[in-house]
Amino acid sequence: MSTALKQLSQNKCFGGLVTKYVHQSAVLGCEMKFQVFIPHQQSSTTKFPGLYFLSGLTCTEDNFIQKAGAQRKAAQLGIALIAPDTSPRGLNIKGEDDSWDFGTGAGFYVNATESKWKNYQMYSYVTQELPKLVNENLPIDPSRISISGHSMGGHGALICALKNPTLYKSVSAFAPISNPTDCPWGIKAFTGYLGASNKHLWEQYDASILLGKYDGPVLDVLVEVGDKDQWLEEQLKVHKLTDKKNEKVKLEVRWQEGYDHSYFFIQSFVEDHIAFHAKHLQ
């Protein structure tokens, strides 16, 4: 079981509160931090719909909350925001800090099967342990949850929704790594965490493959991509999503002229994404 939440900081923001918490994760075997924005509460019994946001490579629980500018729209629409970290930290695994795209800050939202990386269970943390902890301790309505993410986190948001048909009301992604089984970032991560020969496991975490196989309730998916994204062709491969047809996945990919991979891009369209999710969460 996860231990109780410990508050690390709290700031008022657009009438609500941004709070950073830390807890001991049983799934990951280390302390984990996450940020939450709770809109202004009219009563002690108010429960808000929740939007989880998964960040990208090198990020922490701070990036989205501090850089995206999402709180104003979330406060206006009465949506809570939950932003977890991107990997376990401080496990003292040899090589965990050797590169920026693997190990610390790069958990890739998979459940590692290679023994060295056995604590890297970010998929279970994001879909099971953290939501249980949030639902038990914070004014979040567990029946009204959506998910979003950026880059590696966009990959994470897509696979979490496609693998859990009844868990999320909607999913969106900014510049997602869409075909990780066939891009350098994904191949490096999947080789390390899942093993070079376990390609059948790789496919279980590839959004472009999961989309074609999805057989749950109709799922609304919004993907935002900048046509000047420096990682577009080599790493993101968003076209692999649009190549797949599935009548149960309502996929909208919006191409934005001149935008790159940065948080300036996210800032520009994050309110659109919160409004998109609000339609499904209210």
Side-chain angles (χ1 to χ4, degrees):
M1 294 290 293
S2 302
T3 56
L5 295 179
K6 178 183 177 182
Q7 181 179 309
L8 296 178
S9 64
Q10 190 169 79
N11 302 90
K12 191 169 183 177
C13 184
F14 290 102
L17 292 172
V18 172
T19 309
K20 180 185 285 194
Y21 294 101
V22 64
H23 73 104
Q24 183 68 32
S25 168
V27 169
L28 305 178
C30 65
E31 283 194 339
M32 290 294 288
K33 298 174 184 176
F34 65 100
Q35 293 260 27
V36 179
F37 170 70
I38 301 293
H40 173 67
Q41 286 190 273
Q42 300 296 330
S43 74
S44 60
T45 60
T46 302
K47 283 188 175 287
F48 297 96
L51 176 62
Y52 283 78
F53 190 91
L54 308 184
S55 290
L57 291 165
T58 75
C59 291
T60 70
E61 71 284 350
D62 294 331
N63 293 72
F64 176 73
I65 290 293
Q66 294 182 359
K67 294 182 178 181
Q71 287 91 321
R72 188 189 72 84
K73 193 68 171 180
Q76 178 187 345
L77 296 176
I79 295 175
L81 305 173
I82 305 103
D85 202 350
T86 53
S87 78
R89 292 181 187 269
L91 293 172
N92 297 316
I93 301 172
K94 185 178 180 181
E96 67 183 352
D97 297 319
D98 286 358
S99 59
W100 62 273
D101 56 354
F102 184 81
T104 302
F108 249 86
Y109 306 103
V110 303
N111 281 346
T113 55
E114 293 295 285
S115 59
K116 180 179 178 179
W117 303 99
K118 63 183 180 181
N119 289 86
Y120 273 62
Q121 305 291 308
M122 286 300 294
Y123 174 75
S124 289
Y125 177 73
V126 166
T127 60
Q128 298 174 29
E129 185 180 36
L130 181 60
K132 185 175 188 295
L133 189 66
V134 166
N135 296 340
E136 289 175 350
N137 291 277
L138 299 173
I140 306 295
D141 181 353
S143 69
R144 294 186 293 160
I145 300 296
S146 290
I147 192 166
S148 184
H150 171 230
S151 193
M152 178 186 72
H155 141 78
L158 291 173
I159 65 165
C160 286
L162 291 166
K163 288 166 72 69
N164 296 276
T166 61
L167 189 57
Y168 305 101
K169 298 296 186 183
S170 53
V171 57
S172 72
F174 294 87
I177 302 172
S178 303
N179 185 206
T181 60
D182 190 31
C183 77
W185 283 339
I187 291 170
K188 180 176 181 178
F190 288 5
T191 299
Y193 298 137
L194 305 174
S197 62
N198 294 328
K199 298 297 176 65
H200 65 287
L201 288 179
W202 294 24
E203 294 181 356
Q204 295 176 24
Y205 297 102
D206 188 309
S208 66
I209 295 172
L210 293 172
L211 190 153
K213 297 179 178 180
Y214 178 82
D215 191 31
V218 173
L219 181 66
D220 273 3
V221 182
L222 174 61
V223 173
E224 208 85 43
V225 193
D227 67 0
K228 298 300 183 185
D229 192 309
Q230 60 270 42
W231 306 113
L232 185 60
E233 297 301 325
E234 182 183 20
Q235 303 284 8
L236 305 184
K237 301 194 175 186
V238 176
H239 67 278
K240 292 295 185 72
L241 293 177
T242 56
D243 286 348
K244 298 294 174 65
K245 305 300 179 186
N246 188 331
E247 62 182 15
K248 292 193 172 184
V249 179
K250 295 172 62 177
L251 172 65
E252 180 183 6
V253 178
R254 304 197 312 189
W255 293 91
Q256 301 296 349
E257 183 179 359
Y259 286 89
D260 58 21
H261 199 72
S262 69
Y263 264 84
F264 296 113
F265 165 56
I266 297 175
Q267 289 171 19
S268 302
F269 301 101
V270 71
E271 293 196 355
D272 290 351
H273 282 238
I274 293 172
F276 162 79
H277 290 294
K279 291 187 300 182
H280 299 83
L281 291 170
Q282 303 298 353

